[in-house]
Each structure stands twice: as C-alpha cells, then as structure tokens.
Amino acid sequence: MRLFCYASALATLWFTNSVNGQIFDKHVVVCQQEDAALAGREVLRAGGNAIDAAIATALGLAVTHPAAGNLGGGGFLVVYLADRKLVKTIDFREAAPLASTERMYLDDKGKILPKHRAGARAAGVPGTVAGLALAHKEFGKLPWGMVVAPAQKLAREGFVISSTLASSLNQQLGMGKEVGVDEDLGPDGEKLGDFASSVAVFKKPGGEVWNKGDRLVQPDLANTLDRIAAEGADGFYKGRTATLIADYMTKEGGLVTLEDLASYRAEIKSPLHGTFRNHDIYGAAPPSSGGVVILQALNILERFDLKADGPHSPVTLHRVTEAMRRAFHTRAASIGDPDFVQIPVERLISKPYAEFLARTIAPAFATPSVMLTSSTVEGAEPNHTTHLSTIDQEGSAVALTYTLEEGYGSKAVVAGAGFLLNNEMGDFNLTPGLTDATGRIGFEANRIVPRKRMLSSQSPTIVMKGGRVKLVTGSPGGRTIPNTTLWVILNVIEFELQPRASVDAARTHHQWFPDILKLEGKKWEVATVERLRQMGHVVKVGGIQGDAHSIVVDEQGKRHGVADQRRKTSTAAGD
Ligand code: DON
C-alpha cells in the first residue's frame, strides 16, 4: 500500500512537472522542440509573461528547428492580455521586395521558371524579428535581453539533435538515403546541399553523417542573435545583419535591399472575432486567410447539430466538408493583403452570409466545387511551418504560427549571418490572369506587388469563454492549417472531447480545389468512407494532417499542454 502511494505521488509529480507532462497549474509552453519549450519555460520562471515566453520559444525554435523555426521568415500571432482584457494580433508576414514584379517567376512564354522556390530570389522581406520585437515592446514584461538569451546560448553552445533532425539534415546534405523526410526537399529536389553557405552551417564538422545525440553548434547564428539582443529589430534590419543580407542578395541574384529591410514594419492589428456556441473565437486577419476560413466555416456549422451525430459520422463529415469547400472558395476569390485589395471581411464572417451558404448545402449530396464558380485549382502545399502556444499564470496567452514556407525555406543561408531565408514569394499567385487545372491561380487579390504581403493560411487562434481563455491553438500544414485548427476547435467545443483526444483525433481536409476530401490516417470505417463516396465526395484516405500544439484550460483553471504527437519531437513544458 505504501509502495502504491509513493508510486502514485511520484506519478503525480511527473505528470505535473515533467516536460512531457500534460497538466499544469501555472503556465505552459507547447511547441515542436524540447529545448525551445524549455527556453519559454525559463523566462516564465524568471517572471516573464506569455508574450515573453512565446518570443523566447520562437527564437529557440529558430536555432533548434531549422526547417521551420526562423529569423528569416514570417508569421502571425494572436495574444490575449489578461490585465488589459484585450486581444490583439501581430502581422509579421513577409513582404514582396521593392524590385519585385508581377511576372518575375515566369519565362517569356509565361511558364513558371524551374527552381523558383529556392535561393535568394525566392525570398520575401523577412518579418519574424520585427514581429517578435514589436510583440515585446507592446506586451512583454522582462527585459528584451533576457528573452533572447536562451536562444543565444542554444546557438553558441549547441544543442543535442533528435533522430528526426539528424535524418533530415543528412538528406538535405545529400548524405545517405533517409526515409520519411522527403517533404523537406523542394519541388525540383532543391536542398541545403545546393548552397555553400547552408552546407557551411549545417554540415557536421568532419563531414560525417549526423546521428541522434550529436551537437549542432551555430556560431554565425549566435552572432546574429547577439546583435538582435543588443539592438532589437535594428540588429537585424540595419547594420551588419542587414548588410550581410543585402550583400548575399546582390551576389545570388535576390531582390531584398537595405531599403527593403529598413522600411519593413510588423503591424499590430485587431483580431478577427466571431462566436460559436457562446464562445468567442479570435483569429488572424488578412493577409492570413485563417481567421476568415475558420470563422466562416464555424458560422456555417453552427446551423447544424453536429454533436448529435458524432464527430466522424458520415453526415458530420459531409457538413464539415461542405463548410470547408465554401470557406476555401471565399479564400481563393477574395483574400490578399488588405493594404492592396478590398476585402469585405465583415460580410464574409457574418452570420447572415453563413446562413445563406448553409442553405446551399444539400443534405446528402456533395456540391461539385466547379458549381461554386468557374474552374480554379490549387495545388498541394509542403508541410513545414510551426505553431506554438503559451499561457501564463495571469491567464494571458499567445498563439503564434511562423514559417519559412517550405521545409528549410529557400534552402539558402545568408552567408555569415547563419540563418535561412524564406521562399515565401511562392505564396503569391505567380501566373497573373491564368487559372487552370494544374494548380495555377491568377486572381488579382494575391498577385505580386512591391511591399505587398502574400496570402497565408496560418491560423493562430485563441478561444475564450466567459472572458477567460479556453483554448490556444494553430498548426502548420499549408492549406490544411485552417481545417486542422477548425477540427481542434470543434473537438473541444462542439464534441466536448478531452484535451488530448481533441488534438489526437483524425482530421479531414477539403480546400475547394482539387475537389478531394482527405481523411487523415487509416482508421476510418469502411462504411463511413463508402457513404461519403455515395454522396459524391472524392475521398482519399491516409497521411497525416497538421501539428497542433495546443493548450486547453479546464473549468478548474488547470492548463492542459497538449503537444501534438504527429511529428514526434514536440513538447509541453510548464509548472
Ligand atoms: O503562410 C502559409 O500559408 C504557408 N507559407 C504555410 C506553409 C506551410 O504551412 C508549410 N508547412 N507546414
């Protein structure tokens, strides 16, 4: 009996304090990599708030998760400030360089140039450092230097790499056949090994293959972080770092100049707000499409009693698919950078508009996507971005998603500066006026214009009930992001699943075009798939969808840090 009590006390201790544990009383950080999560927890323990923790974690991921964590990319965050009872978002999406042009990735016959996704020319003006510095200036608590310090240490002293990162780096360097990490290569097979500056940073000293347990040390990145620690955003957008970026661009045919860097601004914006079953949903505004897609889909779905039929019943899957189809049609047709295109956001996320859309859903027949408009087709997106969630003792919370676009972005490290450039310019519509079945989109809303920010699917989201945070979530996954996030929200609110089950449950994806319903994983009942096919859905089963590192706050105020296990290395760290 005594042994039992001792074991159960130990188990409780492990559960509440371990980095792999789930339930915390005070604060928690959930993200893709353990050292980065510990960086966030370190600043929380030092008295920092949820914003400080999100910044420390994001900078930590820039060191330890190079496929998606970044200084050279961009993203969006949503923050709830408990003391001010205020929700704000920060848009730190990359922008088109001043010298960019609408047809810059096309040859004279209008064909997209090969390898346009790699190298300096694929990069937009990075937004991450400006976004994190702005978040700190407006909402942070600890001194900036304390928030940057853990990342400096990880870069300078190195960190122990996982088998996943070892495999990925080996593949990127063209060493050995690695299984299961193909998604890190660009569409034309581009890899880190194609760029001398990237090889210099990521090859193992001595040149052997990387193994689990090896240490990756990044001195150039540490020096860049030193400048950011000392000078804030100016340590990136001006001075030595900016010169290194501009020089690399000149040498490698990129377009980002000192002027582009000096004039880049992250922006504080009001969140998009909607309601679902008496909960308040806060998401990112355009140029992210995430907020619009999720709120429009929730508004449509609120008109049905999904719970009565269960989350994975054919009728629920049909309704969710039809809501996704309509919301993604809205996305393609209407959303871009609001500084450049007019977007009727209020109408798109209104209840009456959703009521109209819901009435167009046939109870037992799939709506062919071509019926929503003439033909427009979107291709699949690669699978690398990363999402983190934080909450502090006061109840302030941050949902932050940022990215280099593809795994390792452009694959090109800025020589001497130690960080990878994004290849986010590919998120613009590259073929003006040409929309076809091969995946090209030519709509006006998202064409390249200097300084314009490209359309995104990133969907950091905070859900509140009765003035308190209930759910902090978001995901990577290209165009699947809003749908992954939608499923987590539905699982928590509509189906009232437990936190772990809400994140673990298989997800689905439909993005209007291609007109395909994807069901994640293999564990679908044959009868369910059959019924969906009878309704007219083109169903594909398999694969994994997203990586939604989430926090759920229960009625007692306990923080459930739910690290999505789909990509293995994720961690919840808290107290
Ligand atoms: O902003 C976007 O929508 C894309 N650049 C995100 C890319 C992505 O999520 C890739 N991987 N997970």
Side-chain angles (χ1 to χ4, degrees):
M1 180 65 181
R2 181 177 298 165
L3 189 68
F4 172 77
C5 287
Y6 181 63
S8 103
L10 256 188
T12 309
L13 201 68
W14 184 84
F15 233 63
T16 51
N17 288 322
S18 155
V19 291
N20 295 316
Q22 299 196 336
I23 304 171
F24 304 94
D25 291 323
K26 290 204 282 194
H27 47 227
V28 59
V29 177
V30 197
C31 74
Q32 184 61 46
Q33 201 275 343
E34 181 169 345
D35 295 293
L38 294 175
R41 190 180 67 179
E42 184 181 325
V43 304
L44 285 166
R45 284 184 173 173
N49 63 12
I51 271 282
D52 296 323
I55 297 166
T57 307
L59 292 173
L61 288 167
V63 180
T64 62
H65 183 39
N70 67 81
L71 301 183
F76 301 86
L77 69 80
V78 182
V79 54
Y80 170 67
L81 298 148
D83 54 349
R84 293 189 235 171
K85 302 208 178 317
L86 183 70
V87 186
K88 285 286 173 193
T89 76
I90 295 185
D91 164 0
F92 54 101
R93 183 68 162 161
E94 300 92 326
L98 286 163
S100 59
T101 57
E102 206 175 72
R103 303 177 66 83
M104 64 184 278
Y105 296 107
L106 303 178
D107 66 15
D108 13 340
K109 298 204 176 72
K111 264 185 75 182
I112 295 183
L113 294 162
K115 301 224 169 185
H116 67 284
R117 307 284 280 162
R121 205 173 167 80
V125 183
T128 294
V129 178
L132 300 182
L134 180 63
H136 180 263
K137 178 167 149 267
E138 295 292 326
F139 311 123
K141 195 166 156 199
L142 290 181
W144 173 247
M146 275 179 80
V147 179
V148 184
Q152 290 170 276
K153 186 161 186 255
L154 286 166
R156 180 152 285 117
E157 295 177 10
F159 67 99
V160 175
I161 68 171
S162 63
S163 59
T164 309
L165 181 54
S167 296
S168 178
L169 289 178
N170 289 337
Q171 188 198 40
Q172 286 291 322
L173 296 164
M175 302 175 75
K177 285 207 195 99
E178 300 303 332
V179 190
V181 289
D182 290 350
E183 64 193 33
D184 287 344
L185 297 182
D188 296 327
E190 301 93 330
K191 54 185 187 310
L192 293 178
D194 301 339
F195 297 91
S197 53
S198 306
V199 173
V201 167
F202 291 109
K203 91 162 185 278
K204 186 166 158 178
E208 306 100 30
V209 293
W210 287 102
N211 292 305
K212 176 182 174 186
D214 287 342
R215 183 168 279 269
L216 176 60
V217 181
Q218 300 171 77
D220 286 344
L221 181 57
N223 292 337
T224 297
L225 286 163
D226 289 350
R227 292 190 286 276
I228 292 168
E231 299 161 44
D234 283 355
F236 185 91
Y237 293 92
K238 295 181 178 164
R240 175 148 176 82
T241 315
T243 304
L244 287 168
I245 297 171
D247 286 353
Y248 187 73
M249 290 284 162
T250 308
K251 191 163 152 265
E252 299 295 328
L255 298 185
V256 178
T257 60
L258 288 176
E259 187 185 352
D260 281 307
L261 293 164
S263 61
Y264 181 85
R265 297 283 177 273
E267 289 178 36
I268 299 190
K269 293 182 170 172
S270 293
L272 294 196
H273 171 246
T275 60
F276 180 73
R277 310 250 196 262
N278 292 324
H279 290 71
D280 291 288
I281 319 289
Y282 296 95
S288 170
S289 59
V292 170
V293 169
I294 290 169
L295 292 175
Q296 189 175 94
L298 286 172
N299 284 340
I300 293 172
L301 292 171
E302 201 173 37
R303 312 201 62 77
F304 303 101
D305 184 359
L306 303 181
K307 190 162 186 210
D309 296 299
H312 286 175
S313 63
V315 62
T316 295
L317 294 171
H318 169 65
R319 287 165 172 164
V320 171
T321 304
E322 294 303 324
M324 289 173 175
R325 186 195 311 274
R326 283 155 182 77
F328 269 80
H329 169 236
T330 296
R331 173 192 187 276
S334 309
I335 304 184
D337 182 342
D339 289 349
F340 291 78
V341 287
Q342 289 231 317
I343 311 168
V345 171
E346 287 312 317
R347 189 170 79 89
L348 296 176
I349 62 171
S350 70
K351 302 279 183 196
Y353 189 55
E355 187 184 339
F356 160 74
L357 291 173
R359 277 205 302 264
T360 67
I361 298 176
F365 293 102
T367 309
S369 286
V370 282
M371 283 182 64
L372 295 185
T373 188
S374 56
S375 76
T376 298
V377 181
E378 299 191 4
E381 285 210 16
N383 208 18
H384 272 284
T385 290
T386 194
H387 174 80
L388 65 95
S389 299
T390 68
I391 190 164
D392 64 24
Q393 197 161 6
E394 278 69 48
S396 296
V398 175
L400 185 154
T401 312
Y402 74 155
T403 186
L404 289 165
E405 161 58 355
E406 289 173 335
Y408 303 96
S410 67
K411 318 289 193 268
V413 163
V414 175
F419 62 84
L420 282 156
L421 290 163
N422 67 81
N423 64 341
E424 214 75 61
M425 289 294 284
D427 272 2
F428 278 115
N429 298 349
L430 300 185
T431 52
L434 180 62
T435 299
D436 70 12
T438 69
R440 291 181 282 203
I441 297 185
F443 287 155
E444 180 72 40
N446 187 37
R447 290 189 199 165
I448 302 174
V449 179
R451 285 194 201 278
K452 189 175 174 182
R453 299 179 190 214
M454 56 295 281
L455 174 64
S456 173
S457 299
Q458 292 170 78
S459 309
T461 304
I462 293 182
V463 176
M464 304 197 48
K465 173 112 190 266
R468 279 188 7 185
V469 170
K470 176 155 174 179
L471 171 66
V472 188
T473 192
S475 177
R479 254 161 263 193
T480 64
I481 293 173
N483 291 338
T484 295
T485 311
L486 175 69
W487 268 115
V488 176
I489 296 169
L490 288 174
N491 289 340
V492 171
I493 300 178
E494 177 76 0
F495 301 112
E496 300 183 281
L497 302 185
Q498 292 300 307
R500 167 53 61 196
S502 296
V503 170
D504 285 352
R507 300 160 182 155
T508 70
H509 177 66
H510 195 294
Q511 60 176 42
W512 179 44
F513 276 113
D515 192 346
I516 292 168
L517 166 58
K518 291 190 179 161
L519 304 182
E520 183 191 27
K522 299 265 184 227
K523 296 184 185 157
W524 296 90
E525 286 183 19
V526 176
T528 302
V529 177
E530 272 309 301
R531 180 73 194 109
L532 288 166
R533 287 187 173 137
Q534 279 165 8
M535 290 180 186
H537 295 284
V538 179
V539 182
K540 282 199 177 160
V541 180
I544 59 169
Q545 182 179 323
D547 205 18
H549 308 309
S550 306
I551 296 169
V552 179
V553 183
D554 67 21
E555 295 288 321
Q556 286 71 46
K558 300 265 188 214
R559 284 93 163 98
H560 297 246
V562 192
D564 195 324
Q565 301 298 324
R566 283 169 175 77
R567 290 170 210 273
K568 298 197 185 110
T569 54
S570 56
T571 295
D575 296 292

